[in-house]
Amino acid sequence: MKNKGKESKKMFLAFLLNLFFSVFELVGSFVTGSVAIASDALHDFGDAVTIGIACFLEKKSNRQPDEVYTYGYRRYSVVAGLFGSLVLLVGSAVVMVHAVERLLVPQQIHSHAMILFAVIGVVINFCAAYVTHGGDSVNQKAVNLHMMEDVLGWIAVLVGAVVIKLTGFMLIDPLLSIGVAVFVIVNAARNLRNALHILLEKAPDEISVMQIRNLLLNTPSVTEVHHIHLWTMDGQQHFVTMHLVTEEEPFLIKKRVKELLYQKGIFHVTLELETSNEHCHESTCTIAPEITCHHHHHH
């Protein structure tokens, strides 16, 4: 992770932009009577809240581990993502309700004002997307993705406005609004799920316990591996602890195993070494019955 300062400045800029823009959109939705613009406003406000919390917590989450948070503070950014996703989910539900009301009782929409707002929206968001593109970190990619979504949202509004102007088909507006809301809900739900998985200590997607087990059992002088516990701090930093049965010199085997796992993206490895004639008492916490220690009294 290089130049954190620059990164957080970019995030703060994205926060201000989204906040300012959601206010602009809210005004636009009142002037034009368009719920599609209102749902975009909500989306942007949700993004602003998410990025705002992320900015605030990102600083905290970059703090090094200490005696209080012995694993470090990375989970704070996960919690920020969790909270942001919830904001978007609730907001999108509200938007859906309004859009459905509009479908039942259509209302007059000022298409000229709507076209004007949409053009401004496309231009500004395209500039924002252009500025934020090319980032390599997960955070930057996420911010850029949001910007691209906003561009598409505004293009949709523009198309809707043109349709209303040409055909007078007012229902296109709430329909577009529902489309945007569904899109936001799907993405927010995915983010929420990922954050929950991390907080509930689920193993990371990139590597499984079985992979680690097979990798190590194929390593010379490792007779058995058990009690593998694998989790991720924030989706990027992974931890594993395990018991290894080996007759090898401890420092040699540790070095070998840590290098192997480092290549797989696991940076924190804690090993408990046992010899084959040692009896492992903790048969209770094995993952599968066939991985218990009792079967491995190699001589």
Side-chain angles (χ1 to χ4, degrees):
M1 293 297 202
K2 47 192 188 298
N3 50 13
K4 285 281 184 200
K6 195 174 158 211
E7 186 105 326
S8 54
K9 272 203 185 72
K10 259 190 173 172
M11 269 177 95
F12 189 66
L13 202 67
F15 164 68
L16 287 178
L17 199 87
N18 272 316
L19 194 63
F20 159 76
F21 211 72
S22 61
V23 174
F24 167 78
E25 286 169 309
L26 210 56
V27 172
S29 72
F30 283 123
V31 171
T32 59
S34 159
V35 274
I37 294 184
S39 70
D40 264 6
L42 180 106
H43 182 187
D44 273 348
F45 182 68
D47 284 354
V49 169
T50 309
I51 296 171
I53 300 168
C55 266
F56 177 67
L57 291 182
E58 197 69 27
K59 271 203 161 49
K60 195 176 172 79
S61 73
N62 286 327
R63 279 161 61 174
Q64 290 306 304
D66 54 30
E67 285 166 15
V68 187
Y69 285 84
T70 57
Y71 281 110
Y73 290 79
R74 291 303 310 156
R75 290 269 168 107
Y76 272 93
S77 74
V78 177
V79 172
L82 182 91
F83 192 78
S85 308
L86 282 174
V87 170
L88 283 173
L89 283 175
V90 172
S92 299
V94 173
V95 165
M96 298 275 263
V97 171
H98 280 292
V100 171
E101 279 174 9
R102 281 297 188 87
L103 282 176
L104 301 174
V105 186
Q107 281 172 19
Q108 200 55 36
I109 292 164
H110 307 286
S111 57
H112 288 113
M114 195 170 158
I115 288 174
L116 179 70
F117 273 101
V119 168
I120 297 171
V122 169
V123 170
I124 291 182
N125 278 295
F126 183 77
C127 292
Y130 188 76
V131 169
T132 55
H133 92 288
D136 50 356
S137 87
V138 181
N139 247 340
Q140 278 173 305
K141 282 204 172 89
V143 168
N144 184 237
L145 189 72
H146 279 311
M147 295 300 171
M148 286 313 298
E149 279 172 25
D150 294 342
V151 172
L152 293 174
W154 277 108
I155 289 173
V157 170
L158 186 58
V159 170
V162 171
V163 167
I164 291 171
K165 186 174 157 49
L166 296 177
T167 65
F169 181 58
M170 296 290 177
L171 289 184
I172 188 84
D173 187 65
L175 287 173
L176 278 172
S177 168
I178 289 171
V180 171
V182 167
F183 184 70
V184 173
I185 284 174
V186 169
N187 279 318
R190 190 182 297 132
N191 287 343
L192 186 66
R193 200 183 76 197
N194 290 344
L196 278 175
H197 283 170
I198 292 172
L199 294 174
L200 295 172
E201 309 286 2
K202 181 174 185 272
D205 295 335
E206 303 91 82
I207 185 160
S208 71
V209 168
M210 282 326 268
Q211 273 174 295
I212 291 176
R213 189 176 151 72
N214 296 336
L215 192 70
L216 296 186
L217 287 178
N218 289 331
T219 311
S221 71
V222 174
T223 30
E224 176 50 13
V225 191
H226 45 257
H227 298 324
I228 300 177
H229 296 290
L230 171 66
W231 71 104
T232 181
M233 206 57 221
D234 57 352
Q236 273 117 43
Q237 297 180 26
H238 310 322
F239 289 73
V240 70
T241 64
M242 65 185 91
H243 294 198
L244 274 187
V245 181
T246 180
E247 308 299 322
E248 176 79 86
E249 286 292 339
F251 62 91
L252 284 177
I253 196 75
K254 279 189 217 171
K255 189 170 182 295
R256 192 180 305 147
V257 167
K258 285 183 179 176
E259 276 169 5
L260 257 178
L261 292 174
Y262 189 84
Q263 288 163 9
K264 292 282 175 200
I266 299 173
F267 302 113
H268 304 265
V269 181
T270 308
L271 301 174
E272 177 156 344
L273 301 179
E274 297 166 0
T275 55
S276 55
N277 55 15
E278 212 175 310
H279 184 73
C280 167
H281 296 295
E282 304 174 48
S283 55
T284 47
C285 79
T286 42
I287 288 175
E290 71 271 12
I291 313 179
T292 50
C293 323
H294 308 305
H295 302 182
H296 301 285
H297 294 303
H298 299 293
H299 299 299

